Amino acid sequence: MTEREIDARLKIVYSLWLDEINEVAPELLNDNKYSNPYFTCVPKGWCDSAIRILVVGEEGYGVSGHGKSDGVKTDEIQKIQELCWCSLVSNLGYELDYELYPIQSRYEKYRSKFWDRVRKLSEYGVCAWTNQDTIHLRKERRCALKPEERTRLHSTKTKLLAEEINALKPTHVVVTGWYHTSIREELPELYYALYPQNGDAWYVNSEHEIAYRKVDGIHYLFTYHPGWWKKPKGYEEEVMKVFLGTLDEKDGGGEGDTY
């Protein structure tokens, strides 16, 4: 598939999901305390890259509800995707000119540990960016939804993260954060492999800091959020070590390695 064909498929998925979320949880779209939904873009050169990395953020656009305050509506899929491309252009130095997402300006480069990690990953392949929760709270110190809000958000038949992975076909999926409800609903097979003893546990295992699985040819890394203050010293270096190991067939890890 081409980038244009993937984008067309994603737009169909997002349109279907919007109809479903309007049925099961319309307040998440209509209440101004929530952000716009997050719709990912297809990076330029994605299909030509041997290494395609889908970074799955723990939260959405940040505390300001990026886009909504600028008048972008929840159903303006193209504009929201353009905001996503703005972030990749600004933070990863990707080329501004792109016919799929013809943005007019660049957003300021974020000074965050999250983007520091993505920049390191981007040295080895093209990066796309999405989130576990496609909607979050606005104007809060923490963007996280309450458990009941997250449950409603993921109650649609269309599972956005799973659909994005199916459309984009990344070689790697790097998940930042352990939102158990989101992963359980979006990637149940992987979830129950990570939480075999207790499906309600927050973390894979207190002794294991990074979980790795290879499923259907895709390398999945489940990690702490780069900005989490409790992560151990040297953790970001360890994340990159595990990631780089997947680039070598001889050292790429097995079906169920945990580090």
Side-chain angles (χ1 to χ4, degrees):
M1 297 180 72
T2 65
E3 282 92 0
R4 186 174 294 280
E5 289 170 330
I6 297 172
D7 176 72
R9 179 175 172 181
L10 286 175
K11 282 182 167 63
I12 293 172
V13 168
Y14 293 146
S15 180
L16 178 62
W17 177 84
L18 281 169
D19 289 340
E20 293 176 4
I21 200 71
N22 260 317
E23 288 290 328
V24 300
E27 71 281 2
L28 296 179
L29 293 178
N30 301 327
D31 193 325
N32 197 48
K33 73 179 181 180
Y34 299 107
S35 74
N36 270 333
Y38 184 95
F39 299 139
T40 194
C41 66
V42 189
K44 191 173 184 178
W46 178 261
C47 294
D48 293 330
S49 179
I51 304 298
R52 302 179 300 278
I53 308 161
L54 178 62
V55 181
V56 184
E58 185 179 18
E59 294 167 347
Y61 279 122
V63 295
S64 64
H66 199 172
K68 199 165 191 176
S69 58
D70 298 325
V72 178
K73 298 178 182 178
T74 58
D75 60 351
E76 293 183 299
I77 296 171
Q78 174 72 23
K79 288 186 178 180
I80 295 174
Q81 288 178 303
E82 289 174 8
L83 289 174
C84 176
W85 181 242
C86 280
S87 296
L88 297 182
V89 168
S90 299
N91 291 287
L92 303 184
Y94 288 170
E95 183 182 345
L96 180 63
D97 183 28
Y98 190 12
E99 60 180 357
L100 285 186
Y101 312 110
I103 59 176
Q104 302 301 313
S105 61
R106 296 174 63 172
Y107 282 85
E108 183 179 355
K109 184 177 179 180
Y110 295 127
R111 296 180 179 274
S112 73
K113 294 180 179 179
F114 173 82
W115 284 108
D116 285 344
R117 179 191 288 181
V118 181
R119 278 187 280 274
K120 291 178 183 177
L121 292 169
S122 70
E123 295 177 10
Y124 300 92
V126 176
C127 287
W129 176 36
T130 190
N131 283 277
Q132 295 180 48
D133 294 338
T134 196
I135 291 175
H136 64 91
L137 285 170
R138 300 179 66 202
K139 300 178 181 178
E140 296 275 344
R141 181 172 178 81
R142 296 184 68 250
C143 303
L145 298 172
K146 296 177 181 178
E148 59 271 20
E149 293 169 323
R150 185 170 293 110
T151 298
R152 291 200 303 277
L153 175 64
H154 292 281
S155 64
T156 57
K157 292 181 180 179
T158 300
K159 307 301 183 183
L160 285 190
L161 179 55
E163 291 287 351
E164 288 169 342
I165 292 172
N166 287 335
L168 288 163
K169 296 187 176 4
T171 59
H172 294 73
V173 177
V174 180
V175 183
T176 60
W178 300 99
Y179 279 2
H180 61 301
T181 301
S182 309
I183 295 298
R184 182 185 64 210
E185 295 299 320
E186 295 284 346
L187 304 171
E189 181 181 351
L190 277 169
Y191 174 82
Y192 287 107
L194 292 172
Y195 300 89
Q197 303 300 322
N198 182 358
D200 292 326
W202 277 97
Y203 304 104
V204 175
N205 187 306
S206 60
E207 298 177 358
H208 299 148
E209 311 294 351
I210 303 167
Y212 168 77
R213 295 289 188 278
K214 185 178 182 181
V215 178
D216 296 330
I218 299 176
H219 302 278
Y220 289 86
L221 277 70
F222 292 82
T223 71
Y224 295 140
H225 191 280
W228 192 49
W229 64 279
K230 287 187 178 181
K231 63 184 175 65
K233 184 178 179 180
Y235 185 75
E236 291 306 305
E237 290 77 9
E238 190 64 24
V239 169
M240 290 305 300
K241 179 180 178 181
V242 175
F243 169 77
L244 292 173
T246 69
L247 303 183
D248 188 330
E249 290 293 330
K250 294 182 293 184
D251 299 321
E255 291 294 315
D257 292 339
T258 309
Y259 298 82

